[in-house]
Amino acid sequence: MDYQLVTGGPDVADHLVFTTSFSHNNVFYKAALAETISWDGQLTGTYDVLLQSGKGTQRLTLIKEGNHWRAGEEVEQIGIPQQEVVDLLGAVINKVRK
């Protein structure tokens, strides 16, 4: 799974934002992921994700619990992805963070 970082302006501390694409169970996915930032500018330890495939678009939050990732349970979340897809997204987050 490959990724592309999105960078901001010069002399600015960038929060992690990137795009990735991958296939799972014969479905091609594109995703945009961004570190979630609170209204006061602090990192929350979660990631906002826009996940798109031929089956539609999902908006979700990824939460890390120990060594595993799970989808959040927000009211505004659109759809619930398969755990295998969440695991793939978590793997690319771990890869990008290194």
Side-chain angles (χ1 to χ4, degrees):
M1 185 179 325
D2 203 9
Y3 61 88
Q4 180 176 354
L5 292 173
V6 178
T7 59
D11 301 326
V12 175
D14 285 337
H15 299 291
L16 186 60
V17 177
F18 63 98
T19 61
T20 188
S21 59
F22 59 95
S23 292
H24 177 68
N25 288 340
N26 297 321
V27 177
F28 179 72
Y29 292 92
K30 295 185 288 182
L33 297 92
E35 282 184 298
T36 308
I37 303 167
S38 67
W39 285 105
D40 62 354
Q42 302 299 312
L43 295 175
T44 66
T46 63
Y47 287 80
D48 285 327
V49 180
L50 187 62
L51 180 65
Q52 189 175 51
S53 73
K55 295 183 175 190
T57 301
Q58 295 177 315
R59 209 263 342 134
L60 60 136
T61 299
L62 292 180
I63 301 166
K64 188 169 187 176
E65 293 179 335
N67 292 327
H68 300 283
W69 291 88
R70 70 172 179 84
E73 300 170 358
E74 304 84 3
V75 173
E76 68 274 7
Q77 184 164 303
I78 302 170
I80 300 172
Q82 297 175 347
Q83 184 60 44
E84 294 88 5
V85 172
V86 170
D87 292 340
L88 289 168
L89 292 169
V92 76
I93 290 171
N94 293 337
K95 182 178 177 181
V96 173
R97 298 289 307 157
K98 288 183 180 179

